[in-house]
Amino acid sequence: MFELRKLHVIPNPGTRLQLLGKPALERALRFANPADREDFIAGRGALQHFAASLLDVDPARLVPDYHCPQCGPGQDHGRPGFMLDGGPAPLLLSASRASGWVLLAGVVRPTDGLRLGVDLEAISGVGFDGFEDVALTETEKFFLDTVPVNQRAEQRARLWSRKEAWLKMTGEGLRRNPAELDVLDLPGLRDVTDEELPDGFVAALALG
């Protein structure tokens, strides 16, 4: 299930800090830019309300419990998760923020071993000089050369979104060199086309 939200339109904004959890609250307070801090808090609040809606529970019953493959549980980063009434909430979650929006994805009562990653990208964000050399494989560069010039910016962003979604799913993040990860045809990886995105954005989902 997907949900797309504008970051400044979040339910019950006055309760966001109380629901954030200590690790994320400490991280929020370290942001030097107030706008970045607000986006971070809003994104975490949106995910918590999304998780609560999937389980049909009060968001206050969910306690954030993020797990990093490198650092372990109870982090301010990593795979999102929640505790519900003392036990792990039966949810698989992923979230991605970009340019004032957050895209949320969730699976209720996932099978053991299932992994999820979602990524939202602004097309304008991947247009810098040298992007292809640091982010794309030779096969992906060849693919871009076959795309009409007026479509290349969108396709470049789609490739990057797929990489981010895949690396979230595997838990590797950018510890893995994205220029060595070919995402043209990976099982369980697809562009998000069944969710209406704002103009100028693309998204990808990895599930497996």
Side-chain angles (χ1 to χ4, degrees):
M1 180 176 180
F2 294 107
E3 186 168 308
L4 180 71
R5 291 186 178 182
K6 187 75 172 171
L7 282 174
H8 71 263
V9 184
I10 304 298
N12 303 318
T15 66
R16 286 182 300 179
L17 288 178
Q18 292 90 330
L19 297 178
L20 203 56
K22 184 178 179 181
L25 178 58
E26 292 176 349
R27 178 177 171 182
L29 295 176
R30 292 196 296 269
F31 279 93
N33 186 323
D36 291 340
R37 182 187 310 120
E38 182 60 23
D39 277 358
F40 173 77
I41 293 171
R44 289 298 177 93
L47 182 62
Q48 188 148 352
H49 281 84
F50 175 66
S53 70
L54 292 179
L55 296 174
D56 194 24
V57 300
D58 188 324
R61 291 175 60 190
L62 296 175
V63 178
D65 184 31
Y66 281 61
H67 187 285
C68 171
Q70 298 294 313
C71 309
Q75 303 299 319
D76 63 0
H77 61 282
R79 298 184 189 278
F82 294 93
M83 302 294 287
L84 173 64
D85 300 335
L91 287 174
L92 191 60
L93 298 165
S94 187
S96 179
R97 289 185 289 119
S99 300
W101 293 87
V102 60
L103 180 64
L104 311 164
V107 177
V108 181
R109 296 178 179 84
T111 57
D112 289 344
L114 190 66
R115 302 172 301 173
L116 173 68
V118 71
D119 187 67
L120 177 70
E121 293 290 336
I123 293 173
S124 61
V126 295
F128 59 86
D129 290 341
F131 169 82
E132 294 177 18
D133 289 332
V134 299
L136 302 184
T137 67
E138 292 303 317
T139 304
E140 291 165 344
K141 292 176 187 177
F142 178 79
F143 163 75
L144 273 185
D145 286 341
T146 69
V147 173
V149 173
N150 64 347
Q151 297 176 22
R152 287 183 188 174
E154 178 180 340
Q155 292 302 320
R156 188 183 296 113
R158 287 194 183 281
L159 289 171
W160 182 247
S161 182
R162 292 179 196 175
K163 289 174 189 277
E164 287 273 21
W166 185 267
L167 294 172
K168 283 184 181 181
M169 184 194 75
T170 64
E172 296 170 283
L174 293 180
R175 292 185 299 277
R176 180 172 180 180
N177 183 356
E180 298 176 356
L181 173 65
D182 195 300
V183 293
L184 286 173
D185 188 25
L186 283 174
L189 178 63
R190 66 176 179 87
D191 297 327
V192 174
T193 57
D194 49 357
E195 178 74 20
E196 186 174 349
L197 301 177
D199 289 341
F201 287 81
V202 297
L205 173 77
L207 184 66

